[in-house]
Amino acid sequence: MQNGGEATTEQVWQMVQALNNVSSTQEQRKQADNWLKEYQRSKGAWATLDQLLRAQGLDPTGQFFAAQTLKSKVRKDMHQLEPADRDGMANSLMTYIHTFRNGPLNVRTQLCLAFAAYAGEFDRGAKADIVQNVCAALGSSPETVPVLLDLLTLLGEEAARVQEDHYDFPPDEEHPLLVSARASALPVLNFTHQCFEGVAATDLVNRGNIVKCFTRWLRFGTVPPEQ
């Protein structure tokens, strides 16, 4: 990006095209790659990524680039955001996930990974009900059950990582994701059990995904014997 200016969505898309176009020369790809790496590190990328993920008709290559970059920035660059923007990130991520609930799958996966990374950030009290909010947002329609299972699986994995990394935190500073995970464990386990019962015995792929989600959450709760 020249002169330190902020990139536009058009510039970003042009560079993504140049990087992935088979007709681009080696020098053009190198220039595009360097430009995009600088862009990905910039504070201004947050705004253009939001615009790209909300854009209508964007090529899947551009969608994947935006989702993957957003995941990386959530993991590394949250300090670039103002407090109000950090607090609003959960709502933005849920909007993107709902938009791409039916795919492309690689885009949806990157966005779910971004949400899980956001949930794993230590922020006292801000996300104490984050799992409950996810279930409320995506659990009311059969159409969103597949993406809800994906997201719950990743949240279970992230909560397990947090539990291992924060085992020595004092009680008054317990990680909010762990608070939410423990409070949500039984409803999540019951939900996955219901999903499993509703899937045909021959549908091994979906059954396997449901079992994977179920086992991730057994760490935080148990199903009563009568169930």
Side-chain angles (χ1 to χ4, degrees):
M1 294 178 290
Q2 294 181 351
N3 301 322
E6 292 188 2
T8 65
T9 54
E10 291 78 10
Q11 288 174 316
V12 175
W13 177 226
Q14 288 172 4
M15 291 299 175
V16 171
Q17 286 181 309
L19 184 63
N20 293 278
N21 196 324
V22 294
S23 63
S24 295
T25 65
Q26 184 175 356
E27 181 60 27
Q28 287 173 326
R29 288 197 186 94
K30 181 179 179 181
Q31 290 177 355
D33 184 54
N34 290 337
W35 191 96
L36 288 169
K37 286 178 179 177
E38 182 182 352
Y39 160 76
Q40 289 171 314
R41 292 189 294 266
S42 71
K43 182 178 179 180
W46 292 101
T48 49
L49 289 172
D50 177 70
Q51 294 167 21
L52 286 166
L53 289 166
R54 294 177 189 270
Q56 297 292 323
L58 183 65
D59 184 278
T61 302
Q63 293 171 342
F64 178 75
F65 170 83
Q68 187 180 49
T69 300
L70 181 63
K71 176 196 70 178
S72 177
K73 290 193 75 64
V74 169
R75 287 177 172 173
K76 301 176 182 178
D77 296 333
M78 288 290 287
H79 64 277
Q80 294 176 334
L81 295 176
E82 299 296 327
D85 294 325
R86 289 199 298 271
D87 293 342
M89 181 55 62
N91 289 334
S92 296
L93 288 167
M94 286 305 301
T95 297
Y96 307 144
I97 288 169
H98 190 270
T99 298
F100 293 97
R101 61 192 180 280
N102 296 321
L105 181 58
N106 62 345
V107 176
R108 190 178 85 183
T109 298
Q110 294 298 309
L111 294 171
C112 288
L113 286 167
F115 191 96
Y118 170 81
E121 289 287 321
F122 180 73
D123 187 2
R124 189 178 293 105
K127 311 180 190 73
D129 57 357
I130 193 165
V131 179
Q132 296 93 319
N133 291 341
V134 165
C135 293
L138 298 175
S140 60
S141 170
E143 183 188 21
T144 54
V145 166
V147 68
L148 176 56
L149 283 168
D150 288 350
L151 190 49
L152 286 174
T153 300
L154 292 171
L155 285 171
E157 292 173 355
E158 185 67 18
R161 182 196 65 79
V162 166
Q163 189 176 51
E164 293 172 358
D165 290 349
H166 295 78
Y167 69 92
D168 58 348
F169 266 39
D172 62 338
E173 290 191 357
E174 187 171 32
H175 198 292
L177 178 57
L178 292 180
V179 175
S180 185
R182 294 191 184 106
S184 304
L186 182 56
V188 170
L189 290 169
N190 284 332
F191 167 72
T192 55
H193 179 67
Q194 292 168 6
C195 289
F196 189 84
E197 289 189 329
V199 173
T202 55
D203 191 348
L204 300 181
V205 172
N206 281 325
R207 282 200 156 205
N209 291 337
I210 295 168
V211 169
K212 181 180 179 181
C213 184
F214 183 86
T215 56
R216 294 297 183 275
W217 282 87
L218 280 175
R219 181 171 187 151
F220 303 102
T222 56
V223 179
E226 63 271 17
Q227 293 184 292

